[in-house]
Amino acid sequence: QTTLFIADLHLSTGRPDITAAFLRFMAEEAPRADALYILGDLFEFWIGDDEPNPLHACVAEACRACVGQGTPVYFVHGNRDFLLGRDFAGRAGLTLLPEHTVVELYGKPVLIMHGDTLCTDDRDYQRFRRITHWPWLQWLFRRLPLSWRIKVADGMRNKSQNANQAKSMMLMDVSQLEVERQMAQHKVELLIHGHTHRPDIHQLTLDDRAARRIVLGDWYTQGSVLRVTPEGERLQRRQLG
Ligand SMILES: O=C(CCCCNC(=O)Nc1ccc(S(=O)(=O)N2CCN(c3cc(Cl)cc(C(F)(F)F)c3)CC2)cc1)NO
Ligand SMILES: [Mn+2]
């Protein structure tokens, strides 16, 4: 009885080694679990379900095969792939979840999310997020010619790369206050998220009760998989290849 969590693979055609590790994980490990949760930034970028990228078809097929074997695959959007839509989810057999979701794991309520909404100190990013989450803007952007979307995306990816290099590591980590606020609001003692690329299991005290925040790692140099069982949680590494 195991539920698996991964996030921040940032799959792109430029990193076939990460894609290979993901496909191996989807073929060998995921089908044996009760469920797989992908907590965002599965892709390095996403400009619409209509982008003819062979990587998308390959990932969709791997997810659909896993679902076909009886292991549901849930997806929470990240700050990169927030435009991933119902068309792709349908092709991949993914169940899309809201940005903050409480799931019951072996009798215990757990709050899951990508983690970018915890970075409240990063004002610039929160403004970027608010604007790009306006439904009418998403409606409009999706209808732009693909060539325009690619140009905008290249521009924004360069900008966010430069911006992030400038930002302090503190600014780009989660706000402890926001972590406690969201865990208290959802009445949970376990929070699982990604986004910061700082894998760890943090202990914290919430209303005099022991609570934990588990951060999934990115897959840039090695895979990161969280295994949740009725007995507990283990954050593990995986070789790429
Ligand atoms: O850790 C941190 C910081 C972490 C890094 C934050 N930065 C970050 O995520 N950047 C970023 C994310 C996605 C992409 S993209 O290429 O996939 N793509 C770009 C164009 N997108 C768009 C959508 C809409 Cl609706 C509307 C527009 C419009 F109108 F503005 F053009 C554009 C769709 C998505 C490019 C860059 N803080 O704590
Ligand atoms: Mn992220």
Side-chain angles (χ1 to χ4, degrees):
Q1 276 194 313
T2 301
T3 300
L4 298 174
F5 290 81
I6 60 175
D8 295 300
L9 285 83
H10 290 266
L11 294 177
S12 71
T13 49
R15 287 297 307 267
D17 55 334
I18 305 178
T19 303
F22 170 68
L23 294 178
R24 191 167 60 249
F25 170 80
M26 290 307 288
E28 296 165 9
E29 205 165 337
R32 296 208 299 271
D34 296 334
L36 167 66
Y37 288 82
I38 303 178
L39 298 190
D41 284 0
L42 174 63
F43 295 96
E44 170 59 7
F45 67 92
W46 192 274
I47 54 175
D49 292 6
D50 59 335
E51 191 202 344
N53 186 330
L55 172 65
H56 297 178
C58 162
V59 170
E61 198 181 313
C63 294
R64 205 178 49 244
C66 181
V67 174
Q69 294 177 64
T71 299
V73 180
Y74 299 97
F75 184 81
V76 174
H77 292 96
N79 53 285
R80 311 296 302 205
D81 48 23
F82 61 88
L83 276 187
L84 189 150
R86 281 189 296 276
D87 295 353
F88 179 80
R91 290 198 299 267
L94 295 178
T95 302
L96 298 179
L97 296 177
E99 59 188 28
H100 299 151
T101 301
V102 177
V103 295
E104 174 138 335
L105 292 181
Y106 310 111
K108 194 165 43 175
V110 182
L111 175 59
I112 64 174
M113 59 179 71
H114 176 59
D116 57 324
T117 58
L118 298 170
C119 301
T120 47
D121 300 335
D122 187 343
R123 313 295 309 229
D124 294 353
Y125 171 66
Q126 293 306 328
R127 185 177 332 108
F128 165 82
R129 188 183 197 280
R130 192 171 53 252
I131 294 168
T132 52
H133 280 64
W134 286 338
W136 60 268
L137 185 59
Q138 294 196 356
W139 183 90
L140 188 70
F141 184 79
R142 282 193 169 96
R143 275 159 188 72
L144 293 179
L146 202 57
S147 57
W148 291 24
R149 284 180 269 161
I150 290 168
K151 275 199 189 64
V152 167
D154 289 347
M156 292 174 90
R157 282 211 311 282
N158 299 336
K159 186 171 172 303
S160 74
Q161 260 160 12
N162 306 339
N164 288 345
Q165 269 148 16
K167 284 173 184 169
S168 75
M169 289 308 275
M170 261 309 289
L171 191 71
M172 289 180 40
D173 200 354
V174 301
S175 146
Q176 202 51 42
L177 218 57
E178 187 63 15
V179 165
E180 293 174 9
R181 194 188 69 74
Q182 294 210 22
M183 291 183 77
Q185 179 189 332
H186 290 93
K187 300 184 178 49
V188 295
E189 280 146 31
L190 179 55
L191 163 62
I192 303 173
H193 69 86
H195 181 63
T196 62
H197 301 188
R198 299 175 186 166
D200 205 344
I201 299 184
H202 301 270
Q203 306 288 338
L204 59 151
T205 309
L206 263 185
D207 306 329
D208 303 330
R209 300 179 64 106
R212 262 158 314 132
R213 172 171 69 95
I214 301 179
V215 187
L216 300 168
D218 60 76
W219 283 49
Y220 287 141
T221 52
Q222 58 191 14
S224 172
V225 177
L226 173 68
R227 298 177 66 86
V228 178
T229 65
E231 292 72 43
E233 305 83 31
R234 272 187 295 135
L235 193 52
Q236 301 181 326
R237 293 189 171 88
R238 288 287 181 283
Q239 292 301 315
L240 296 186

